[in-house]
Amino acid sequence: LLDASLSRIRETDDRIGAFLKLDEEGARKRAERIDEGDEDPGLLAGLPVGIKDNISTKALSTTAGSRILGDYAPLYDATVMEKLEHSRANMVGKTNMDEFGMGSSNENSGFHPVRNPWDFDRVPGGSSGGSAAAVAAGQVSFALGSDTGGSIRQPAAFCGVVGMKPTYSRVSRFGLVAFASSLDQIGPLTRNVEDAAVVMQSIAGFDAKDSTSADVEVPDYLSALNGEVKGLKVAVPREMMGEGVDAGVREKIRQALKVLEDLGAVVEEVSLPHSEYAVATYYLLAPAEASSNLARYDGVRYGARVEGDNLVDMYNRTRSSGFGPEVKRRIMLGTYALSSGYYDAYYLKAQKVRTLIRRDYEEIFQSYDVVVGPTAPTTAFRIGEKTEDPLTMYLNDICTIPVSLAGLPAVSVPCGLSDGLPVGLQIIGKPFDESGVLKVAHAYE
Ligand code: GLN
């Protein structure tokens, strides 16, 4: 398996750019240990995995796609890495990403963009574009990504793979380079729903090292994949099927809903009245949290430093040269939203709208089991198509962001092609009901 993975990476990655670095030697050692008859073969024994480069790994440097982290070498593994190690998955390398997770196309990587394996002139989505492309190109058995506003689900949709964002607090964030701490979640990118269930089984669960980690029992995800969707109530928000969503995407979602109906599910239209404010809310809250989280990159504690005439000059030079343009834009937006005199008007207001968005979902989940719609309003767009206009790039997250603000679990599962490019069906569940989400995805698939 490892040989197949490494040779596939060698054959394809100069065109795709999914990996930032490989750990061939370490991976071979781990594979040998399994070959020699490991006593506990583990749930994921020997499966080659790509790890998004914002997840701390002792074996390989961790840059979060940013030049400012240079060749920063973490002194510890993220909790998810310990869990994967326990399941005997085999990390082959670290995957490319938008700098600090800020982006929807991977064009904001501090190193090089990733290309979509379906069409090299198109983006793979972001920010976990390297992870999604690696799975789609058959370079690894599965990958881990992180999702703050859609960064697992949207690249999964663009690359035609399965991507799951767990409930906020379901998977430990210990060792994940922070972007927006109240939204960030690690999750799997896989070839099918069954694989997503198995990887979730390995990485989910309480962790005392993450103060927001939830002490909620992890069920057996595989046994939930029983195909029983008869009578299940599926809500389709009209806001996710209207204007702004490409006709070709809408058509594929309609066909997928028909499949669920044929399986016995009851599909009904509902409304999420506050979702139209979600993108604006997110782009206040996420940059606010980011501006605070990114204050630590000062040339003293981590990574790269550019010397200056004095301390403040050194800070300025380090941050000016280390961060890319999108990261700087977010730091300025966030600092503005948090500044005295504006805090109540922007940050506090956005927090209140976030509560309203969460309540919309709570109300729907009183009468429905899952909420279903598209993962993204379009298929993969062309490289360079949206780089000039950050606002149209932000709008690509319109279907995923409300779910992130509400902290809910959601999966993107491939539902066919529109003009030859993959479309993703998004299935959203109640808090901690990853099983319900995976069950519906599996029945559909
Ligand atoms: N595209 C969104 C952003 O740029 C979401 C990114 C993410 O989920 N990490 O913030």
Side-chain angles (χ1 to χ4, degrees):
L1 271 173
L2 179 62
D3 283 341
S5 163
L6 290 172
S7 64
R8 183 81 179 152
I9 292 170
R10 265 191 298 270
E11 274 163 27
T12 56
D13 212 44
D14 55 338
R15 278 165 294 163
I16 297 171
F19 280 89
L20 289 176
K21 59 226 139 189
L22 298 174
D23 182 21
E24 254 194 81
E25 210 186 298
R28 287 206 188 282
K29 281 197 194 127
R30 285 185 287 273
E32 271 163 30
R33 199 173 75 197
I34 292 162
D35 281 349
E36 281 160 9
D38 201 325
E39 286 200 349
D40 172 15
L43 195 59
L44 305 168
L47 294 181
V49 53
I51 302 293
K52 189 176 181 180
D53 205 26
N54 58 354
I55 295 173
S56 299
T57 50
K58 260 193 301 200
L60 285 176
S61 68
T62 297
T63 66
S66 183
R67 296 257 170 202
I68 208 162
L69 274 168
D71 48 10
Y72 164 63
L75 297 173
Y76 55 87
D77 274 328
T79 295
V80 289
M81 293 311 297
E82 287 177 358
K83 290 192 176 251
L84 287 185
E85 169 86 22
H86 181 76
S87 305
R88 299 287 188 265
N90 198 354
M91 175 180 73
V92 294
K94 303 292 290 285
T95 57
N96 202 351
M97 58 181 285
D98 287 302
E99 190 174 0
F100 289 107
M102 299 173 187
S104 310
S105 68
N106 243 280
E107 291 162 297
N108 297 339
S109 164
F111 301 96
H112 52 81
V114 180
R115 290 171 183 274
N116 192 317
W118 290 76
D119 177 346
F120 293 141
D121 292 331
R122 291 181 187 267
V123 303
S127 63
S128 311
S131 290
V135 174
Q139 296 176 336
V140 283
S141 301
F142 72 97
L144 290 189
S146 69
D147 191 311
T148 304
S151 278
I152 291 174
R153 291 162 285 160
Q154 183 254 23
F158 280 14
C159 291
V161 301
V162 172
M164 170 160 239
K165 181 195 90 76
T167 310
Y168 181 76
S169 79
R170 179 56 113 178
V171 173
S172 172
R173 290 183 297 114
F174 179 76
L176 173 69
V177 177
F179 164 12
S181 312
S182 77
L183 296 154
D184 300 340
Q185 264 296 285
I186 296 172
L189 291 115
T190 57
R191 291 180 197 169
N192 56 47
V193 176
E194 193 176 328
D195 287 3
V198 178
V199 178
M200 277 301 295
Q201 203 74 55
S202 168
I203 63 173
F206 176 69
D207 179 17
K209 290 185 198 151
D210 170 0
S211 61
T212 59
S213 171
D215 199 355
V216 176
E217 203 194 326
V218 178
D220 182 348
Y221 292 123
L222 267 184
S223 70
L225 310 183
N226 55 16
E228 286 167 17
V229 294
K230 211 170 156 57
L232 200 99
K233 292 200 70 187
V234 176
V236 182
R238 77 175 66 96
E239 293 80 3
M240 284 174 92
M241 292 293 276
E243 224 185 306
V245 178
D246 278 4
V249 170
R250 235 180 300 164
E251 184 50 32
K252 284 292 143 191
I253 303 301
R254 284 215 185 90
Q255 287 171 12
L257 291 168
K258 178 82 180 44
V259 171
L260 289 175
E261 271 180 338
D262 290 346
L263 292 168
V266 182
V267 178
E268 285 172 6
E269 193 184 88
V270 298
S271 174
L272 292 168
H274 296 97
S275 57
E276 65 171 296
Y277 307 112
V279 172
T281 303
Y282 173 89
Y283 278 99
L284 281 168
L285 295 180
E289 293 186 29
S291 73
S292 168
N293 275 327
L294 269 51
R296 72 190 68 171
Y297 305 105
D298 57 4
V300 178
R301 282 168 279 199
Y302 299 91
R305 168 189 294 194
V306 181
E307 295 299 344
D309 297 337
N310 52 47
L311 185 66
V312 173
D313 192 42
M314 185 278 286
Y315 288 164
N316 280 339
R317 286 174 195 246
T318 299
R319 289 169 68 84
S320 301
S321 76
F323 290 136
E326 182 63 26
V327 175
K328 287 179 186 157
R329 187 177 297 126
R330 305 272 179 120
I331 291 173
M332 298 213 288
L333 278 170
T335 305
Y336 183 81
L338 289 175
S339 55
S340 150
Y342 295 104
Y343 181 92
D344 288 356
Y346 294 108
Y347 184 76
L348 203 64
K349 185 72 122 224
Q351 290 287 31
K352 290 180 178 173
V353 181
R354 182 178 187 174
T355 302
L356 295 176
I357 291 167
R358 185 168 44 80
R359 285 195 193 140
D360 279 356
Y361 279 99
E362 274 168 13
E363 207 172 302
I364 283 179
F365 281 127
Q366 304 277 324
S367 348
Y368 294 89
D369 298 292
V370 287
V371 174
V372 172
T375 303
T378 65
T379 53
F381 43 90
R382 286 185 189 285
I383 291 177
E385 195 180 317
K386 293 186 199 282
T387 38
E388 293 308 308
D389 182 1
L391 284 180
T392 55
M393 186 77 88
Y394 295 173
L395 279 170
N396 208 260
D397 301 327
I398 199 155
C399 304
T400 47
I401 276 178
V403 185
S404 299
L405 290 170
L408 302 171
V411 72
S412 178
V413 61
C415 67
L417 305 179
S418 168
D419 283 333
L421 293 168
V423 176
L425 177 74
Q426 186 176 203
I427 301 162
I428 305 155
K430 298 174 188 170
F432 299 105
D433 190 23
E434 283 80 10
S435 293
V437 167
L438 290 166
K439 175 169 79 174
V440 177
H442 183 252
Y444 167 74
E445 184 187 53

PDB file of all heavy atoms in Angstrom, residues 52 101-104 126-127 146-151 179 282-283 330 397, ligand 1:
ATOM      1  N   LYS A  52      -3.201  17.460   6.667  1.00  0.00           N
ATOM      2  CA  LYS A  52      -3.169  18.889   6.358  1.00  0.00           C
ATOM      3  C   LYS A  52      -2.075  19.562   7.181  1.00  0.00           C
ATOM      4  O   LYS A  52      -1.908  19.244   8.376  1.00  0.00           O
ATOM      5  CB  LYS A  52      -4.541  19.502   6.668  1.00  0.00           C
ATOM      6  CG  LYS A  52      -4.706  20.942   6.192  1.00  0.00           C
ATOM      7  CD  LYS A  52      -6.133  21.450   6.439  1.00  0.00           C
ATOM      8  CE  LYS A  52      -6.349  22.866   5.965  1.00  0.00           C
ATOM      9  NZ  LYS A  52      -7.735  23.350   6.206  1.00  0.00           N
ATOM     10  N   GLY A 101      -5.543  28.446   6.651  1.00  0.00           N
ATOM     11  CA  GLY A 101      -6.928  28.019   6.384  1.00  0.00           C
ATOM     12  C   GLY A 101      -7.782  29.105   5.772  1.00  0.00           C
ATOM     13  O   GLY A 101      -9.003  28.950   5.684  1.00  0.00           O
ATOM     14  N   MET A 102      -7.162  30.209   5.377  1.00  0.00           N
ATOM     15  CA  MET A 102      -7.944  31.341   4.880  1.00  0.00           C
ATOM     16  C   MET A 102      -8.045  31.306   3.363  1.00  0.00           C
ATOM     17  O   MET A 102      -7.182  31.821   2.652  1.00  0.00           O
ATOM     18  CB  MET A 102      -7.303  32.651   5.335  1.00  0.00           C
ATOM     19  CG  MET A 102      -7.273  32.752   6.846  1.00  0.00           C
ATOM     20  SD  MET A 102      -6.356  34.184   7.374  1.00  0.00           S
ATOM     21  CE  MET A 102      -6.342  33.896   9.153  1.00  0.00           C
ATOM     22  N   GLY A 103      -9.125  30.695   2.888  1.00  0.00           N
ATOM     23  CA  GLY A 103      -9.324  30.649   1.454  1.00  0.00           C
ATOM     24  C   GLY A 103     -10.273  29.550   1.055  1.00  0.00           C
ATOM     25  O   GLY A 103     -10.605  28.672   1.863  1.00  0.00           O
ATOM     26  N   SER A 104     -10.717  29.599  -0.193  1.00  0.00           N
ATOM     27  CA  SER A 104     -11.665  28.612  -0.706  1.00  0.00           C
ATOM     28  C   SER A 104     -11.159  28.003  -2.007  1.00  0.00           C
ATOM     29  O   SER A 104     -11.918  27.406  -2.749  1.00  0.00           O
ATOM     30  CB  SER A 104     -13.017  29.285  -0.974  1.00  0.00           C
ATOM     31  OG  SER A 104     -13.415  30.036   0.144  1.00  0.00           O
ATOM     32  N   GLY A 126     -10.882  24.940  -1.134  1.00  0.00           N
ATOM     33  CA  GLY A 126      -9.963  25.188  -0.022  1.00  0.00           C
ATOM     34  C   GLY A 126     -10.727  25.359   1.269  1.00  0.00           C
ATOM     35  O   GLY A 126     -11.944  25.370   1.263  1.00  0.00           O
ATOM     36  N   SER A 127     -10.027  25.409   2.360  1.00  0.00           N
ATOM     37  CA  SER A 127      -8.593  25.452   2.390  1.00  0.00           C
ATOM     38  C   SER A 127      -7.918  24.083   2.429  1.00  0.00           C
ATOM     39  O   SER A 127      -6.701  24.010   2.232  1.00  0.00           O
ATOM     40  CB  SER A 127      -8.124  26.259   3.605  1.00  0.00           C
ATOM     41  OG  SER A 127      -8.535  25.626   4.806  1.00  0.00           O
ATOM     42  N   SER A 146      -9.118  20.371   7.888  1.00  0.00           N
ATOM     43  CA  SER A 146      -9.784  21.126   8.953  1.00  0.00           C
ATOM     44  C   SER A 146     -10.801  22.043   8.287  1.00  0.00           C
ATOM     45  O   SER A 146     -10.635  22.427   7.134  1.00  0.00           O
ATOM     46  CB  SER A 146      -8.783  21.934   9.769  1.00  0.00           C
ATOM     47  OG  SER A 146      -8.253  22.982   8.977  1.00  0.00           O
ATOM     48  N   ASP A 147     -11.865  22.326   9.031  1.00  0.00           N
ATOM     49  CA  ASP A 147     -13.004  23.063   8.488  1.00  0.00           C
ATOM     50  C   ASP A 147     -13.387  24.147   9.482  1.00  0.00           C
ATOM     51  O   ASP A 147     -13.710  23.858  10.633  1.00  0.00           O
ATOM     52  CB  ASP A 147     -14.151  22.055   8.279  1.00  0.00           C
ATOM     53  CG  ASP A 147     -15.320  22.617   7.485  1.00  0.00           C
ATOM     54  OD1 ASP A 147     -15.780  23.723   7.815  1.00  0.00           O
ATOM     55  OD2 ASP A 147     -15.791  21.933   6.555  1.00  0.00           O
ATOM     56  N   THR A 148     -13.303  25.393   9.029  1.00  0.00           N
ATOM     57  CA  THR A 148     -13.667  26.539   9.866  1.00  0.00           C
ATOM     58  C   THR A 148     -14.967  27.150   9.340  1.00  0.00           C
ATOM     59  O   THR A 148     -15.843  27.525  10.112  1.00  0.00           O
ATOM     60  CB  THR A 148     -12.524  27.578   9.838  1.00  0.00           C
ATOM     61  OG1 THR A 148     -11.327  26.930  10.258  1.00  0.00           O
ATOM     62  CG2 THR A 148     -12.813  28.769  10.739  1.00  0.00           C
ATOM     63  N   GLY A 149     -15.061  27.213   7.999  1.00  0.00           N
ATOM     64  CA  GLY A 149     -16.274  27.734   7.374  1.00  0.00           C
ATOM     65  C   GLY A 149     -16.660  26.912   6.157  1.00  0.00           C
ATOM     66  O   GLY A 149     -17.453  27.348   5.331  1.00  0.00           O
ATOM     67  N   GLY A 150     -16.039  25.748   6.006  1.00  0.00           N
ATOM     68  CA  GLY A 150     -16.344  24.909   4.845  1.00  0.00           C
ATOM     69  C   GLY A 150     -15.137  24.200   4.263  1.00  0.00           C
ATOM     70  O   GLY A 150     -15.239  23.485   3.266  1.00  0.00           O
ATOM     71  N   SER A 151     -13.989  24.385   4.892  1.00  0.00           N
ATOM     72  CA  SER A 151     -12.715  23.950   4.312  1.00  0.00           C
ATOM     73  C   SER A 151     -12.495  22.460   4.158  1.00  0.00           C
ATOM     74  O   SER A 151     -11.512  22.065   3.525  1.00  0.00           O
ATOM     75  CB  SER A 151     -11.561  24.523   5.113  1.00  0.00           C
ATOM     76  OG  SER A 151     -11.319  25.833   4.698  1.00  0.00           O
ATOM     77  N   PHE A 179      -7.046  28.978  13.678  1.00  0.00           N
ATOM     78  CA  PHE A 179      -7.496  30.041  12.770  1.00  0.00           C
ATOM     79  C   PHE A 179      -8.598  30.797  13.513  1.00  0.00           C
ATOM     80  O   PHE A 179      -8.362  31.883  14.055  1.00  0.00           O
ATOM     81  CB  PHE A 179      -7.943  29.405  11.446  1.00  0.00           C
ATOM     82  CG  PHE A 179      -8.778  30.276  10.530  1.00  0.00           C
ATOM     83  CD1 PHE A 179      -8.937  31.644  10.730  1.00  0.00           C
ATOM     84  CD2 PHE A 179      -9.408  29.706   9.420  1.00  0.00           C
ATOM     85  CE1 PHE A 179      -9.713  32.416   9.859  1.00  0.00           C
ATOM     86  CE2 PHE A 179     -10.181  30.482   8.556  1.00  0.00           C
ATOM     87  CZ  PHE A 179     -10.345  31.830   8.789  1.00  0.00           C
ATOM     88  N   TYR A 282     -19.877  35.544   9.573  1.00  0.00           N
ATOM     89  CA  TYR A 282     -18.634  34.769   9.609  1.00  0.00           C
ATOM     90  C   TYR A 282     -17.425  35.658   9.331  1.00  0.00           C
ATOM     91  O   TYR A 282     -16.393  35.540   9.995  1.00  0.00           O
ATOM     92  CB  TYR A 282     -18.710  33.643   8.578  1.00  0.00           C
ATOM     93  CG  TYR A 282     -17.432  32.871   8.389  1.00  0.00           C
ATOM     94  CD1 TYR A 282     -17.152  31.745   9.171  1.00  0.00           C
ATOM     95  CD2 TYR A 282     -16.486  33.246   7.436  1.00  0.00           C
ATOM     96  CE1 TYR A 282     -15.977  31.025   8.998  1.00  0.00           C
ATOM     97  CE2 TYR A 282     -15.311  32.534   7.258  1.00  0.00           C
ATOM     98  CZ  TYR A 282     -15.062  31.432   8.035  1.00  0.00           C
ATOM     99  OH  TYR A 282     -13.903  30.717   7.871  1.00  0.00           O
ATOM    100  N   TYR A 283     -17.558  36.543   8.337  1.00  0.00           N
ATOM    101  CA  TYR A 283     -16.403  37.358   7.965  1.00  0.00           C
ATOM    102  C   TYR A 283     -16.161  38.529   8.923  1.00  0.00           C
ATOM    103  O   TYR A 283     -15.266  39.332   8.708  1.00  0.00           O
ATOM    104  CB  TYR A 283     -16.463  37.768   6.489  1.00  0.00           C
ATOM    105  CG  TYR A 283     -15.943  36.614   5.644  1.00  0.00           C
ATOM    106  CD1 TYR A 283     -16.814  35.738   5.015  1.00  0.00           C
ATOM    107  CD2 TYR A 283     -14.579  36.356   5.580  1.00  0.00           C
ATOM    108  CE1 TYR A 283     -16.326  34.644   4.298  1.00  0.00           C
ATOM    109  CE2 TYR A 283     -14.085  35.270   4.871  1.00  0.00           C
ATOM    110  CZ  TYR A 283     -14.955  34.421   4.233  1.00  0.00           C
ATOM    111  OH  TYR A 283     -14.464  33.330   3.548  1.00  0.00           O
ATOM    112  N   ARG A 330      -7.316  39.770   6.599  1.00  0.00           N
ATOM    113  CA  ARG A 330      -8.123  39.260   7.719  1.00  0.00           C
ATOM    114  C   ARG A 330      -7.686  39.893   9.045  1.00  0.00           C
ATOM    115  O   ARG A 330      -8.514  40.187   9.903  1.00  0.00           O
ATOM    116  CB  ARG A 330      -7.994  37.739   7.825  1.00  0.00           C
ATOM    117  CG  ARG A 330      -8.344  36.987   6.560  1.00  0.00           C
ATOM    118  CD  ARG A 330      -9.806  36.660   6.467  1.00  0.00           C
ATOM    119  NE  ARG A 330     -10.051  35.959   5.210  1.00  0.00           N
ATOM    120  CZ  ARG A 330     -10.562  34.726   5.122  1.00  0.00           C
ATOM    121  NH1 ARG A 330     -10.900  34.074   6.214  1.00  0.00           N
ATOM    122  NH2 ARG A 330     -10.756  34.162   3.954  1.00  0.00           N
ATOM    123  N   ASP A 397     -18.637  30.259   0.009  1.00  0.00           N
ATOM    124  CA  ASP A 397     -18.850  29.511   1.261  1.00  0.00           C
ATOM    125  C   ASP A 397     -20.275  29.642   1.780  1.00  0.00           C
ATOM    126  O   ASP A 397     -20.560  29.276   2.918  1.00  0.00           O
ATOM    127  CB  ASP A 397     -17.903  30.040   2.346  1.00  0.00           C
ATOM    128  CG  ASP A 397     -16.449  29.924   1.957  1.00  0.00           C
ATOM    129  OD1 ASP A 397     -16.104  28.969   1.252  1.00  0.00           O
ATOM    130  OD2 ASP A 397     -15.655  30.792   2.369  1.00  0.00           O
TER     131      ASP A 397
HETATM  132  N1  GLN B   1     -13.133  29.717   2.919  1.00  0.00           N
HETATM  133  C1  GLN B   1     -13.403  30.098   4.262  1.00  0.00           C
HETATM  134  C2  GLN B   1     -12.408  31.152   4.712  1.00  0.00           C
HETATM  135  O1  GLN B   1     -11.660  31.580   3.897  1.00  0.00           O
HETATM  136  C3  GLN B   1     -13.392  28.904   5.162  1.00  0.00           C
HETATM  137  C4  GLN B   1     -12.030  28.426   5.411  1.00  0.00           C
HETATM  138  C5  GLN B   1     -11.972  27.291   6.369  1.00  0.00           C
HETATM  139  O2  GLN B   1     -12.956  26.619   6.623  1.00  0.00           O
HETATM  140  N2  GLN B   1     -10.788  27.125   6.958  1.00  0.00           N
HETATM  141  O3  GLN B   1     -12.368  31.551   5.823  1.00  0.00           O
END
